[in-house]
Amino acid sequence: MRSAFERLGIKPGATVWVQSSWNEFYNFSGKPSSVIDLLLELIGPEGTLVMSAIPLKIDDQKILEIHREPVSTGLIAETFRRYRGVKRSIHNSSSVIALGPRAEFLVKDHQITETPWDPESPYQKLMEVDALCVGLGVGRFLASLTPLHAVESILRHENPDFAAIFHGSTTYRWRTRDGDEGTHTYLNRNGAFDAAWLGRHYPADQYIEFRLSNLWMWSIPARDAIMTGVSLGRRGISMYRMPWHRRFLA
């Protein structure tokens, strides 16, 4: 496992975004914490580990107690959420957890974004810190990569097809462990998508993909993942199979 993680490009000082499925680790003898501890060991004290922490129950009628809400993004992410010192962004549908020197920068201000993936969100900030995106057991390359939604957040300002993806809004109340409270309204994303289909359009030299036993692993720099998606979108190639919205709004 250590050699595989190093092959993915996980190294000291790196900021690493990880999406994982513990169900696919059935040939691994360790625990979820074993995977997390190895990742933290490899990036070292100067590195930052980041994961998706979408709340398990999204209920805009209740106050989101962000420090208590379990995640729906897998056992490894839920185990990581409980680690001492982990910080969490405030968001009802797209929260993120992080541990390391860049954690505060990544998670702050998520609750002021217009869409969950705007420039102030953790997702676009991954590009600013040259993060590496890693998939562990979540399918072949690009089958599941939440930061890829930054593409439609960027292109909605220049392309009506992408603007139409955002339809309606959600308002919720939030509260932190320290007692800070607030209200946040964000635009809803609509429409089915297929990120795996989009992945075939990415240059092979942008990403690494291989299998360890049964476990598929892949990695790609966050900037390549998002900005290649933006470039493809401008050419009419999208995981949303444009122009889906004309059918959706009909």
Side-chain angles (χ1 to χ4, degrees), residues 20-149:
S20 61
S21 173
W22 179 248
N23 288 343
E24 295 301 310
F25 281 76
Y26 53 79
N27 283 330
F28 177 60
S29 60
K31 301 178 293 185
S33 59
S34 304
V35 178
I36 297 166
D37 291 344
L38 178 56
L39 289 166
L40 292 172
E41 179 185 341
L42 288 171
I43 64 177
E46 300 303 315
T48 300
L49 183 59
V50 196
M51 298 187 192
S52 176
I54 296 172
L56 183 62
K57 295 180 180 179
I58 299 176
D59 185 352
D60 54 13
Q61 302 302 311
K62 295 176 60 177
I63 295 178
L64 174 65
E65 303 276 1
I66 193 63
H67 57 287
R68 294 180 179 176
E69 186 63 42
V71 309
S72 63
T73 46
L75 186 56
I76 292 176
E78 175 59 20
T79 302
F80 182 49
R81 180 186 72 84
R82 304 182 185 197
Y83 268 46
R84 183 181 299 275
V86 166
K87 299 182 182 296
R88 188 174 188 178
S89 70
I90 301 170
H91 204 284
N92 197 40
S93 73
S94 302
S95 181
V96 163
I97 45 179
L99 179 64
R102 302 177 186 90
E104 179 62 29
F105 167 73
L106 289 168
V107 305
K108 70 178 182 179
D109 296 334
H110 204 177
Q111 72 277 17
I112 67 171
T113 56
E114 189 175 12
T115 81
W117 312 285
D118 279 353
E120 301 84 4
S121 76
Y123 302 98
Q124 290 201 43
K125 289 178 184 177
L126 290 172
M127 294 191 289
E128 296 185 46
V129 298
D130 295 322
L132 181 70
C133 294
V134 171
L136 303 175
V138 290
R140 300 291 299 270
F141 171 66
L142 219 58
S144 179
L145 180 59
T146 305
L148 197 61
H149 287 299

